[in-house]
């Protein structure tokens, strides 16, 4: 991501603590980063600063190797940010055509899709999609429906056995 977005002429902000076992990699990323790249470290979940960062961000990028689906991307989308996310894992099942996808091993893909999203107009399509499908009340309802189906199936099975 650092190499892909270096020199794009816009600020790039990294939020999150480095993985302790990869401190050397984190330091190499910081050395490689351009002057417009800022490393803020971790912010507590639910903090006003994190909420503000999501809301202020034009485009949220999560170019990781595997996401299921990426809660940070859901939070950013809910805050109104445009999202560019990995094509690995279950992201396409969650985000559909509301985001742009990148290959995490292709800096050219990361750069081109991020630049494309940065210049795209902001809409509320992703926010509405997340509100309709992925907030806790919807998740709880879906879990309840599955439990009910399992219990009904079990009862029917016991009655016919």
């Amino acid at each position: 991501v650092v190499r892909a977005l270096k020199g794009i002429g816009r600020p790039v902000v990294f939020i999150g603590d480095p993985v302790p076992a990869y401190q050397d990699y984190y330091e190499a990323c910081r050395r490689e980063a351009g002057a417009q790249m800022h490393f803020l470290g971790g912010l507590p979940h639910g903090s006003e600063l994190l909420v503000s960062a999501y809301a202020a961000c034009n485009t949220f990028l999560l170019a990781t190797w595997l996401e299921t689906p990426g809660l940070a991307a859901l939070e950013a989308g809910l805050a109104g940010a445009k999202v560019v996310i990995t094509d690995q894992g279950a992201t396409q099942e969650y985000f559909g055509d509301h985001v742009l996808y990148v290959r995490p091993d292709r800096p050219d893909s990361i750069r081109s899709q991020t630049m494309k999203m940065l210049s795209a107009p902001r809409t509320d399509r992703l926010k509405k999609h997340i509100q309709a499908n992925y907030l806790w009340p919807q998740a709880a309802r879906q879990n309840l429906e599955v439990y009910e189906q399992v219990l009904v199936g079990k009862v029917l099975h016991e009655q016919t056995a």
Side-chain angles (χ1 to χ4, degrees):
V1 169
V2 168
R3 287 182 179 154
L5 300 183
K6 192 172 181 177
I8 65 168
R10 290 186 174 221
V12 176
V13 178
F14 294 92
I15 298 176
D17 291 321
V19 176
Y22 294 99
Q23 190 68 35
D24 291 343
Y25 175 74
Y26 174 74
E27 293 303 327
C29 289
R30 288 190 65 121
R31 283 191 302 274
E32 175 88 17
Q36 290 188 306
M37 294 186 170
H38 311 281
F39 293 78
L40 299 186
L43 298 175
H45 187 271
S47 74
E48 289 300 315
L49 189 54
L50 183 58
V51 171
S52 176
Y54 283 142
C57 132
N58 176 300
T59 299
F60 176 89
L61 170 64
L62 189 62
T64 55
W65 282 104
L66 183 64
E67 286 301 331
T68 57
L71 290 179
L74 287 169
E75 291 170 345
L78 192 58
K82 297 175 286 182
V83 172
V84 176
I85 195 165
T86 182
D87 64 357
Q88 306 295 297
T91 56
Q92 294 177 31
E93 294 171 13
Y94 281 82
F95 294 99
D97 65 352
H98 301 284
V99 302
L100 293 179
Y101 296 95
V102 296
R103 296 261 326 158
D105 60 343
R106 301 262 320 270
D108 59 325
S109 167
I110 295 168
R111 186 180 186 99
S112 65
Q113 293 293 72
T114 302
M115 295 305 291
K116 183 177 179 180
M117 191 60 90
L118 282 168
S119 64
R122 198 179 280 247
T123 72
D124 62 354
R125 285 182 60 238
L126 176 58
K127 182 177 183 173
K128 287 181 178 180
H129 173 71
I130 294 167
Q131 288 172 329
N133 296 287
Y134 302 117
L135 298 183
W136 287 118
Q138 289 85 345
R141 180 183 40 75
Q142 290 171 5
N143 279 333
L144 179 60
E145 289 171 4
V146 170
Y147 283 125
E148 288 172 343
Q149 290 171 5
V150 169
L151 290 174
V152 167
K154 181 179 178 185
V155 169
L156 290 176
H157 175 72
E158 289 173 356
Q159 290 175 348
T160 60

